[in-house]
Amino acid sequence: MGKDRPKRPNKELDTSDDYHDSSDILDRIQSMIDVAIQQVLTKISETKEELQSEIATLRDEMSKYKQECSQSILSVQEDLKLTQNRMLHLTKANDLIITGIPFQTDERLNDIICKISRTLGFSDDGLPLVHARRLARLPIKTTTSPPVLLEFAFKSVRNDFYSRYLKTCNLSLTHIDININRRIYINENLSEHTRKLRGEVLKLKQSGLVLSTFTRDGLVFVKTAAVNEPMLITSIDQIKTPNTNT
């Protein structure tokens, strides 16, 4: 029989230290993984906050840009309306309209205009060159008072005539030898668009939203409680939501 194989010492079979070493290594690895995960989560959170901040900034910038674009578009639209109104008024720039004069079968409009001119301070040798005609279809009824269109030869004379009237606005039928104490009115010859706009403004004046209104060179100006100076308008919306554009 062979010799018995020698037995290993029990010490060689004790692996408790190796187990503890492995456990410590795993704990350290797990701790490193936890730290790395926490760092990643922190970075994600920071990146998310940065992105949210950038998105909010971009949203504000886009909103501001949108408002600026809208304002620019509105400004261009108002400029186009203003140019259109001025072009429409070009053919009427030398005209004025007189209302309140009753029609008479034997009337001589030129004589009536001469009397009005003298009342406004024109001398006999400086009476304005103007053509007058009724804005009505023939025959004209004697019970009516169709407007009288004044077509001046020169715009400067027309402006002088109108300015003299506006200084007092004191013109009545008695000034043209009609014994009736009733006002005569002189206004600009407005385009259809401006006439409608002025009518809408006068309605707002009755409601108190508009303090006063007038036209100049075919354009409508208003004064409201919200503004100290007369404001040029091209649409009624500018009165309801006033802005600084003129």
Side-chain angles (χ1 to χ4, degrees):
M1 295 180 61
K3 293 180 178 181
D4 293 336
R5 181 178 298 176
K7 295 182 180 179
R8 294 181 179 179
N10 292 335
K11 185 178 181 179
E12 294 181 5
L13 297 176
D14 187 3
T15 60
S16 59
D17 291 340
D18 293 339
Y19 173 79
H20 288 300
D21 291 342
S22 299
S23 177
D24 290 343
I25 292 173
L26 290 175
D27 288 342
R28 287 197 296 271
I29 292 174
Q30 183 63 49
S31 178
M32 293 172 63
I33 292 174
D34 291 341
V35 170
I37 291 174
Q38 186 60 45
Q39 289 176 343
V40 170
L41 292 175
T42 301
K43 187 64 177 178
I44 291 174
S45 178
E46 292 175 351
T47 303
K48 179 181 178 182
E49 291 178 357
E50 291 176 359
L51 287 174
Q52 289 176 336
S53 177
E54 291 180 2
I55 291 173
T57 301
L58 287 173
R59 186 182 293 113
D60 293 340
E61 290 178 353
M62 288 296 295
S63 177
K64 182 179 179 181
Y65 180 70
K66 182 180 178 181
Q67 291 178 355
E68 291 175 351
C69 287
S70 298
Q71 290 296 327
S72 297
I73 292 172
L74 290 175
S75 178
V76 170
Q77 290 177 338
E78 296 302 331
D79 288 342
L80 288 174
K81 289 179 183 178
L82 182 59
T83 300
Q84 182 184 30
N85 291 345
R86 283 175 171 161
M87 291 181 65
L88 290 172
H89 185 66
L90 283 177
T91 58
K92 305 175 184 294
N94 288 15
D95 299 348
L96 290 173
I97 298 287
I98 298 181
T99 56
I101 300 178
F103 173 72
Q104 302 176 72
T105 54
D106 59 344
E107 72 178 4
R108 296 180 180 179
L109 286 179
N110 289 335
D111 291 344
I112 292 175
I113 303 308
C114 286
K115 292 176 182 178
I116 290 176
S117 299
R118 293 188 185 97
T119 302
L120 295 178
F122 287 92
S123 60
D124 287 340
D125 57 352
L127 294 176
L129 295 176
V130 58
H131 173 67
R133 62 185 176 90
R134 291 278 185 178
L135 292 177
R137 294 181 180 179
L138 298 176
I140 302 175
K141 296 180 180 180
T142 55
T143 57
T144 62
S145 301
V148 177
L149 173 64
L150 302 184
E151 298 173 305
F152 291 82
F154 304 102
K155 190 174 188 299
S156 58
V157 178
R158 173 265 191 201
N159 291 345
D160 186 21
F161 189 95
Y162 194 38
S163 177
R164 290 172 185 245
Y165 166 76
L166 292 176
K167 285 180 180 179
T168 62
C169 291
N170 182 23
L171 195 60
S172 68
L173 293 176
T174 56
H175 290 125
I176 58 175
D177 300 330
I178 298 178
N179 194 23
I180 301 176
N181 189 20
R182 194 168 65 197
R183 285 281 306 277
I184 294 174
Y185 298 92
I186 301 179
N187 292 289
E188 293 186 312
N189 187 15
L190 304 175
S191 66
E192 182 179 359
H193 172 271
T194 303
R195 190 164 55 250
K196 289 181 178 179
L197 177 59
R198 184 171 180 270
E200 292 176 338
V201 171
L202 291 174
K203 291 179 182 178
L204 293 181
K205 183 179 178 182
Q206 294 177 351
S207 66
L209 188 59
V210 172
L211 300 180
S212 62
T213 180
F214 62 92
T215 62
R216 181 189 300 156
D217 293 329
L219 303 175
V220 178
F221 292 80
V222 299
K223 185 174 182 180
T224 68
V227 293
N228 294 325
E229 297 297 328
M231 177 177 64
L232 168 62
I233 66 167
T234 56
S235 67
I236 200 69
D237 293 334
Q238 290 174 269
I239 299 177
K240 297 177 181 179
T241 53
N243 54 48
T244 57
N245 294 333
T246 57

